[in-house]
Each structure stands twice: as C-alpha cells, then as structure tokens.
Amino acid sequence: MKLSLGDKIFNIANVVFLGLVALVTMFPIYYVFVVSFTEPAEYLQKTIVIWPENWSLASYKYLLSAPTFIQALGNSAFLAIVGTLCSLVVTSSFAYALSRKKFKGRKFILMAVLFTILFSPGIIPNYLLVKELGLLNSLWAVILVSLTNGWFVILMKGFYDSIPDTLVEAATIDGCNDITAWIKIILPLSLPSIAAFGLFFAVQYWNQYFNALLYLNDASKWPIQVLLQNMLIESSSSSLAEVDPLMKPPPSQTLKMAAVIIAIVPIICVYPFLQKHFAKGVMIGSIKE
C-alpha cells in the first residue's frame, strides 16, 4: 500500500519524537553506568562525564569488599527468592481454590478479596499485626505483608477459569484429589502465568524499601534498597562499615552510581529467561475462548 505524503511525514515525525523520548529516558541510566566505571581521579577533574578516558572497577571493588554491602545483597536475595516462592504458592493455590465452582463459600471469599482491592487496612494495623506476631526486625515481616494481593489473585483466577473443568474431572476419575490435580495437572499448564507473576513478585521483593524501613531496625537486616537510600542521602561512604582501611575510598558519587548498577543488574539478568513466558502471561484472563 502506497503511503501518502502526509503519512510519510507523520511516520518520520513519530520516529524522531519516540527516538528523543527514548534518548531522554535512557540517558540517566547511561550516565549512572558510565560514572560507576570512571577512574576516580578523572571523575574529580571533570564536571560531567560523557565517556571516560580511563575505565576503572575501583568503585565496584570497594563496594564488594564491604561486608555491610554484601550482607544487604544477601538480604535482598533472600527476600527475592524465598518471598517469590512463598507468594507464588499462596497466590496460585488461593486462586485455584476460588476457581473451583464446588468450593463452599467461594462467592463470599471472592467478595472479600475484591474488598481488599478497594480498601486497605493501612500502615498502623499492619504494623500492630507484625508486632503481635513477634516478627519485628525479621525479614519474614517484609515477606508476610507482601505475600499476595487481591489483584494478583483475581488475575490468576481468570487464568484458571480458562482451563477446562474436564481436565480436573478426568484427574478425579483417575484417583487424584484437588491438591494432586493442582500440582500434576494445573501447575504444568500454568507456566506462563507462574513466570509472569514470578517476575512481578521478584521485582517487588528486590525493590522492598518502605516495608523494610518500617519493620527492620537492625542495619544488618537491611536489604540493598535501604542501604542504597542511606548512601544516596549521605555525602560519604560511612554507610559501608568495616572496609579495609588500606583501601582508599573512591568518590562518594561513583560509589553511589556503582551501587545503583549492582542493584538493578539482577532483575535485568532474570528477565531474558522469563521473556518467552512473560508476553503470554501478562494476557492472563484477557481472552475467553
């Protein structure tokens, strides 16, 4: 189909505009990346670094030699791995139960789930609940308050509703109970949704900041995001305790940029492995056959 002059002008303008938007969006990330690898002496001499003349790993070596930073990475990894697994088990099992029409009290519980989407109990009731459970200053407190939410349950229920009931009925005839049918029949068919929600939960737990700040008073329990926030508001590297005194600390700005890069790399590395399932998973419940 031959394009008119107006269509060609629109396409060119559209490409130029979107290219500028992409450039403006990507430049901060590019700048953070470049500064993190800049030689400390060169960074101190320049006002802005577009492309460093001398690349250096000094900031990364300093960060990775700090026990506080390594411990924060470990805490975030624990939250992301254990929290994601717990959230997937709770969300998928809860959604499967709500998708079974023979489940007694299904409509009432479904309305209760919808109610939680519209109304939240707030910070104080959540804090009091965590306190009464004796989970203050524990990483499990962060996992507990983020275990699932009504919106994810409804979305996954929509996916389970699209699976024919005849599959479960056939499994029941073969001697499977509901739990066995869920594990052996439903979960293998739910890999796209599991991958999509797994990515959502992993990003959520890895980026935990407010809940960690609220429930964790011990600095040794802080995840990477809380430590990074402390580094960003301080003008020195005092947040990184017990670093080798013989190692000269790089400029605080290059340390901050390196910490930001380290904080975003794990999620960037995980996404390609889930990409093939992600596109299908995000369409959960949108198409009804």
Side-chain angles (χ1 to χ4, degrees), residues 7 30 57 62 116 170 174 183 244 270 279 282:
D7 290 335
Y30 167 79
L57 294 174
Y62 188 86
T116 64
D174 289 338
I183 294 175
D244 187 353
V270 167
V282 295

Side-chain angles (χ1 to χ4, degrees), residues 96-116:
Y96 175 70
L98 292 177
S99 69
R100 297 302 94 195
K101 296 180 176 60
K102 64 179 182 179
F103 178 51
K104 294 182 179 179
R106 170 175 169 267
K107 292 184 178 180
F108 174 79
I109 296 177
L110 185 58
M111 291 301 297
V113 171
L114 292 173
F115 184 84
T116 64

Side-chain angles (χ1 to χ4, degrees), residues 46-118:
K46 294 182 177 181
T47 305
I48 184 171
V49 180
I50 301 299
W51 186 262
E53 297 177 3
N54 300 306
W55 295 75
S56 172
L57 294 174
S59 298
Y60 291 93
K61 290 180 180 178
Y62 188 86
L63 285 175
L64 296 178
S65 66
T68 305
F69 191 82
I70 298 299
Q71 192 171 41
L73 281 176
N75 293 336
S76 289
F78 176 84
L79 289 175
I81 296 173
V82 177
T84 299
L85 291 176
C86 292
S87 292
L88 286 176
V89 171
V90 171
T91 303
S92 60
S93 59
F94 190 17
Y96 175 70
L98 292 177
S99 69
R100 297 302 94 195
K101 296 180 176 60
K102 64 179 182 179
F103 178 51
K104 294 182 179 179
R106 170 175 169 267
K107 292 184 178 180
F108 174 79
I109 296 177
L110 185 58
M111 291 301 297
V113 171
L114 292 173
F115 184 84
T116 64
I117 298 176
L118 300 174

